[in-house]
Amino acid sequence: MRPFVFVNIAMSADGKISTRERRQVRISGNEDYSRVDRIKAESDAIMVGIGTVLADNPSLTVKSPELRAGRRAAGEDENPIRVVVDSRGRIPLDADILQKGSGKRVVAVSREALPGTVETLRQHATVVLAGDETVDLGILLEELYRQGVRRLMVEGGGTLIWALFAQGLVDELQTFVGNIVIGGKDAPTPADGTGFLREADFARLRIIEAVRLDEGLLIRWSVERA
């Protein structure tokens, strides 16, 4: 058993999520920011990879006081469980995701993480050991399900998103396409990694809805199963 997994991304019209320097850029506007805050509040957990933590230092907290109050009224923490996939345990202890906002944190590591690092991390988060060289995402999702996570939001980055797609672990993709062109062959895309080689292996999607939002387009896709 695993949670329902949906990926939420914002990308430029040419399919980039950042510059080649991997600098955080504003792609969407206030309407989409409000939408993201709402779907974050509706999730049991939100997950990112260590690359996103090191590049952007997100807190992944719910920003709206009303949405936080709604979670409290439902008997939940103000913020969803925040999950970091961090095979070697590289997350800085002063990272915002560990320090800002109330709620639970989970750091998933592999056996490549040093034992001393793992013990130090346990003072700030629940540490899940899954996998030898890299985090076994299937095992991680099963553990999150055991912890009560039924709806898991994934915010990036491209390497984590690719791995989830490659392992058939994504149920829905929500894509905001902004009205800018970033360019650059080395600029990150929503699904980096090695990529599929055979058409038969491609992840196939079906449009749920497409709506204009801010100065761009929001597309929701479901992932078709073979």
Side-chain angles (χ1 to χ4, degrees):
M1 301 294 289
R2 66 168 178 83
F4 178 89
V5 176
F6 74 98
V7 173
N8 179 73
I9 55 170
M11 69 179 187
S12 62
D14 61 321
K16 307 296 184 181
I17 60 175
S18 181
T19 67
R20 61 183 174 85
E21 299 173 325
R22 297 184 179 269
R23 176 173 51 85
Q24 190 174 26
V25 295
R26 184 181 175 101
I27 294 176
S28 60
N30 292 334
E31 285 183 279
D32 190 57
Y33 281 8
S34 295
R35 177 191 69 86
V36 171
D37 206 35
R38 174 178 54 78
I39 61 176
K40 189 184 301 179
E42 294 170 349
S43 300
D44 298 311
I46 178 170
M47 185 165 74
V48 294
I50 183 60
T52 296
V53 173
L54 296 176
D56 299 337
N57 194 26
S59 66
L60 302 183
T61 53
V62 176
K63 303 302 187 289
S64 163
E66 292 78 15
L67 291 173
R68 292 199 302 270
R71 287 183 60 89
R72 288 197 305 271
E76 301 172 327
D77 290 330
E78 285 190 346
N79 300 294
I81 299 171
R82 284 162 283 170
V83 184
V84 181
V85 178
D86 182 12
S87 295
R88 289 182 287 161
R90 294 185 293 151
I91 186 171
L93 297 182
D94 62 352
D96 284 353
I97 200 169
L98 296 180
Q99 301 297 334
K100 288 191 174 181
S102 61
K104 301 174 184 177
R105 284 88 164 172
V106 171
V107 178
V109 301
S110 73
R111 290 180 177 82
E112 288 289 302
L114 297 175
T117 299
V118 171
E119 288 308 308
T120 302
L121 277 176
R122 290 190 198 279
Q123 301 174 29
H124 301 272
T126 298
V127 177
V128 173
L129 177 61
D132 295 323
E133 297 181 359
T134 60
V135 171
D136 186 314
L137 295 173
I139 292 175
L140 172 59
L141 293 187
E142 289 176 1
E143 175 58 31
L144 291 176
Y145 190 89
R146 282 193 290 270
Q147 294 187 23
V149 176
R150 298 296 180 267
R151 185 170 178 84
L152 174 64
M153 176 178 177
V154 179
E155 281 252 276
T159 302
L160 174 61
I161 292 171
W162 152 252
L164 289 165
F165 270 111
Q167 295 175 41
L169 297 174
V170 179
D171 299 293
E172 185 177 314
L173 173 64
Q174 301 187 17
T175 309
F176 177 86
V177 183
N179 63 332
I180 57 174
V181 171
I182 295 175
K185 64 181 179 64
D186 296 322
T189 67
D192 287 334
T194 55
F196 295 114
L197 296 179
R198 302 186 311 145
E199 287 190 30
D201 297 330
F202 292 173
R204 304 287 177 177
L205 310 176
R206 178 177 56 83
I207 290 180
I208 300 172
E209 65 174 350
V211 294
R212 293 187 64 170
L213 195 66
D214 291 317
E215 296 298 320
L217 183 68
L218 172 66
I219 310 173
R220 289 180 56 219
W221 313 80
S222 64
V223 180
E224 296 186 342
R225 301 299 178 199

